[in-house]
Amino acid sequence: MAKLTLTAFVTLDGVMQAPGGPEEDSSGGFECGGWMVPFADEDTMAFMHEVFDRTGAFLLGRRTYDIFSAYWPRVTDPEDRIAARLNTLPKHVVSTTLRDPEWENTTVVPGDVAAEVARLKERTEEGELQIHGSGALARSLMPYDLIDEYHLLVHPVFLGRGQRLLPDGGLPTAFELTGARTTASGVAIHTYRPAGHARFGSFALDA
């Protein structure tokens, strides 16, 4: 069974909306698109290459799929490791409206998303099943404990607005830190693995 991983660019206050440009997602009046671009560097690219080198298939939300499908098919350099995988490996997009995707090797995931993702994990025989971005999709899967690993690239910027990865009212969950590094531009890359229900205690002095 394949491991399901999530890779997300986030700000210090957890915003993940439109990291790559103003045109990506201005929903809700968001005007801060492109916030990750000033911090992009060779260290970040090296980490992303490591992630994509482990890919067996992709699982994407509709908005992320639309952003990717408008960009990556135009990148035809055979030496581009990210484009080579996105353009050739299986892509599963969660959507209730997409009927006839034009991007090669794309299938639509309808209906019971959690059940279908569990089946996709079973059917992906080589490499990881990877989510990139796709915040709404990730949040919908968290209550079912389907995401096995989280790669969070935390950028040193505060926005104060925008869609966040982790929702209010979610199930309290503990995580194990399994990897950490910092890029030259100050991006803190943390890899976490879910570790069961969150635990609580107290520093109160005994009576």
Side-chain angles (χ1 to χ4, degrees), residues 3-8 10 47 54 145 147-154 165-166 173-181 188-196:
K3 178 167 61 176
L4 176 60
T5 67
L6 167 68
T7 301
V10 298
F47 177 80
R54 298 192 296 268
D145 200 26
I147 302 176
D148 301 297
E149 197 166 69
Y150 295 71
H151 303 299
L152 304 183
L153 289 83
V154 184
L165 171 62
L166 301 176
T173 305
F175 288 83
E176 174 190 2
L177 180 67
T178 61
R181 67 179 79 173
I189 303 176
H190 295 159
T191 297
Y192 293 100
R193 187 174 301 150

Side-chain angles (χ1 to χ4, degrees), residues 27-186:
S27 62
F30 188 66
E31 298 178 345
C32 299
W35 47 265
M36 69 159 284
V37 176
F39 304 100
D41 59 14
E42 292 182 0
D43 295 334
T44 300
M45 184 58 67
F47 177 80
M48 293 306 296
H49 280 155
E50 293 173 17
V51 171
F52 276 88
D53 284 349
R54 298 192 296 268
T55 310
F58 297 98
L59 176 66
L60 303 171
R62 175 64 188 273
R63 186 182 295 276
T64 300
Y65 176 82
D66 286 345
I67 294 170
F68 280 15
S69 64
Y71 179 85
W72 288 107
R74 298 160 54 196
V75 181
T76 57
D77 180 0
E79 300 300 318
D80 190 309
R81 290 151 62 183
I82 294 177
R85 285 160 177 78
L86 280 168
N87 288 325
T88 59
L89 290 174
K91 292 166 286 290
H92 307 281
V93 55
V94 175
S95 175
T96 58
T97 57
L98 184 62
R99 295 288 181 264
D100 189 21
E102 297 181 359
W103 199 5
E104 183 181 7
N105 289 334
T106 296
T107 59
V108 177
V109 178
D112 187 339
V113 174
E116 183 58 28
V117 169
R119 286 190 286 268
L120 285 174
K121 291 177 67 173
E122 292 283 354
R123 294 200 300 262
T124 303
E125 298 180 355
E126 295 184 7
E128 298 175 353
L129 179 61
Q130 294 187 349
I131 302 172
H132 290 268
S134 307
L137 170 60
R139 288 188 291 274
S140 74
L141 298 177
M142 289 176 187
Y144 299 97
D145 200 26
L146 286 167
I147 302 176
D148 301 297
E149 197 166 69
Y150 295 71
H151 303 299
L152 304 183
L153 289 83
V154 184
H155 289 63
V157 60
F158 170 85
L159 300 180
R161 64 184 63 83
Q163 297 172 13
R164 289 168 169 77
L165 171 62
L166 301 176
D168 291 337
L171 180 68
T173 305
F175 288 83
E176 174 190 2
L177 180 67
T178 61
R181 67 179 79 173
T182 305
T183 73
S185 64

